């Protein structure tokens, strides 16, 4: 057991790092716990991904983010956040997954796969990229199916189905097509998503219009088989020859983890967690939320650019509480 900490930050992404920087400036005895490498979620993004936000909107603690283009790419973001962690000597433990958090009186007991820590306060900054929205259809567990897209080279000369019509699905479809894949998009709604990056959306619409990429609108996948898909289309059931499937249907926070902590979630489909908008403190005293996890299923609500302020809000509140006599 390590000496009791003022603060444990669960998640070493951009917002977790921002919380660590703020805690360090205020002299708090803190620790960041990250289940993977630095900014694990960004590391698992597609290798060629370009952010929607410009570099200055991805900056934390007013540390300049210099990129080759106005909108940086994944490799530049990895370098930026890694340099912040190393140059500021942040107290972070990597590849240390948190398995449970329990509060005993006024102290949190945080267990990882390796050891146990205690802290007066905990920040959950875990994002939502860990759990894909499953299709819940036969064949989804086949090896040919993935809910994450990494590199287009893998799909060259293959019949690839991309399920979804958001940024991730459109980027994957275009990149894989340009590497020689035969791409078909399966889109549940009547059109490509309106939130798709404005410089990318015309590209995918043109590729669909010219027939380079085939698209089924108002269509869902009923079953996945080793060499084909069964589609439910407006014209009835259809078969589609297929080698690989990218089911890019979005992701969600680990609600089971939040509920196990005792955090109240709304009963509707949004699953919004309860927290004070001024301090980010949940219904459990000393337990805070930061970053995109605050939006529940509304995963388009919070981004790095508008949630980086959470760090200062939380740390200022912790410092203020500490200065008040018991």
């Amino acid at each position: 057991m390590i000496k009791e900490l003022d603060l444990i930050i669960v998640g070493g992404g951009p917002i977790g790092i921002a919380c660590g920087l703020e805690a360090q400036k205020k002299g708090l005895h803190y620790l960041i716990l990250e289940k993977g490498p630095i900014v694990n979620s960004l590391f698992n993004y597609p290798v060629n991904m370009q952010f929607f936000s410009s570099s200055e909107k991805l900056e934390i603690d007013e540390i300049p983010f210099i990129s080759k283009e106005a909108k940086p790419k994944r490799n530049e973001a990895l370098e930026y956040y890694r340099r912040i962690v190393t140059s500021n000597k942040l107290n972070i433990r990597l590849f240390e997954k948190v398995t449970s958090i329990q509060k005993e009186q006024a102290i949190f007991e945080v267990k990882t796969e390796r050891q146990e820590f205690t802290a007066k306060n905990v920040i959950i900054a875990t994002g939502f990229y860990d759990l894909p929205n499953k299709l819940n259809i036969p064949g989804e567990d086949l090896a040919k199916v993935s809910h994450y897209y990494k590199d287009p080279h893998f799909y060259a000369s293959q019949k690839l189905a991309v399920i979804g019509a958001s940024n991730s699905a459109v980027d994957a479809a275009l990149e894989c097509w340009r590497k020689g894949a035969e791409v078909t998009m399966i889109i549940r709604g009547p059109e490509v998503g309106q939130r798709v990056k404005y410089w990318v959306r015309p590209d995918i619409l043109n590729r669909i219009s010219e027939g380079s990429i085939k698209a089924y609108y108002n269509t869902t996948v009923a079953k996945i088989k080793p060499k084909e898909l069964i589609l439910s289309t407006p014209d009835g059931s259809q078969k589609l020859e297929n080698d690989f499937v990218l089911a890019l249907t979005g992701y969600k926070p680990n609600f089971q983890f939040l509920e196990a902590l005792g955090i109240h979630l709304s009963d509707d489909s949004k699953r919004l967690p309860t927290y004070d908008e001024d301090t980010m403190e949940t219904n459990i005293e000393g337990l805070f939320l930061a970053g995109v996890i605050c939006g529940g299923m509304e995963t388009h609500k919070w981004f790095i650019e508008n949630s980086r302020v959470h760090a200062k809000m939380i740390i200022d509140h912790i410092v203020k509480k500490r200065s008040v006599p018991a």
Side-chain angles (χ1 to χ4, degrees), residues 10-203:
V10 183
I15 304 306
I17 292 171
C19 291
L21 285 170
E22 201 65 33
Q24 188 163 280
K25 285 192 294 183
K26 296 298 175 65
L28 297 181
H29 189 204
Y30 75 96
L31 173 64
I32 303 172
L33 295 172
E34 169 56 63
K35 73 173 185 179
I38 298 170
V39 289
N40 181 64
S41 291
L42 300 191
F43 175 76
N44 287 309
Y45 281 0
V47 292
N48 300 319
M49 195 210 78
Q50 186 171 29
F51 284 86
F52 193 98
S53 300
S54 55
S55 56
E56 70 271 11
K57 292 183 177 180
L58 299 177
E59 293 174 354
I60 55 177
D61 202 38
E62 299 183 352
I63 299 171
F65 184 174
I66 308 301
S67 58
K68 293 180 181 179
E69 302 176 53
K71 299 180 185 300
K73 294 188 175 180
R74 165 188 171 274
N75 64 320
E76 294 176 306
L78 293 179
E79 179 72 8
Y80 173 71
Y81 294 117
R82 180 181 63 80
R83 288 293 187 94
I84 289 178
V85 169
T86 56
S87 63
N88 287 278
K89 297 181 174 58
L90 292 185
N91 188 21
I92 184 170
R93 295 197 178 206
L94 303 173
F95 302 97
E96 184 126 13
K97 182 179 180 180
V98 172
T99 57
S100 71
I101 301 175
Q102 293 184 331
K103 188 176 183 182
E104 296 293 337
Q105 296 182 344
I107 302 299
F108 291 94
E109 296 179 357
V110 180
K111 293 182 180 179
T112 73
E113 294 175 330
R114 301 179 185 177
Q115 56 193 307
E116 184 175 329
F117 305 90
T118 59
K120 298 173 184 174
N121 301 278
V122 172
I123 299 174
I124 307 297
T126 50
F128 64 86
Y129 197 60
D130 290 338
L131 298 176
N133 292 319
K134 293 294 188 72
L135 302 170
N136 296 316
I137 59 173
E140 189 173 8
D141 58 347
L142 290 174
K144 63 184 276 186
V145 181
S146 177
H147 290 276
Y148 295 91
Y149 163 64
K150 196 71 174 177
D151 194 317
H153 175 83
F154 183 84
Y155 302 101
S157 301
Q158 301 296 296
K159 292 180 173 62
L160 172 67
V162 178
I163 304 174
S166 61
N167 277 301
S168 56
V170 168
D171 284 345
L174 287 169
E175 289 184 6
C176 292
W177 169 72
R178 291 195 164 97
K179 295 299 182 183
E182 183 181 321
V183 178
T184 301
M185 295 189 73
I186 315 298
I187 300 172
R188 182 175 58 183
E191 62 177 353
V192 171
Q194 290 290 337
R195 291 196 183 96
V196 170
K197 290 172 281 195
Y198 64 83
W199 66 94
V200 174
R201 197 169 189 272
D203 191 1

Side-chain angles (χ1 to χ4, degrees), residues 216-234:
Y216 286 89
Y217 294 104
N218 299 305
T219 296
T220 58
V221 179
K223 188 174 184 179
I224 301 173
K225 295 184 174 182
K227 296 304 293 183
E228 66 182 13
L229 305 181
I230 307 300
L231 306 180
S232 296
T233 79

Side-chain angles (χ1 to χ4, degrees), residues 263-276:
I263 296 174
H264 295 160
L265 303 177
S266 65
D267 294 330
D268 56 19
S269 60
K270 295 180 180 179
R271 305 290 281 154
L272 296 171
T274 298
Y275 62 89
D276 187 315

Side-chain angles (χ1 to χ4, degrees), residues 251-264:
Y251 308 92
K252 59 186 176 182
N254 190 337
F255 294 119
Q256 186 175 359
F257 179 63
L258 295 182
E259 288 178 316
L261 299 178
I263 296 174
H264 295 160

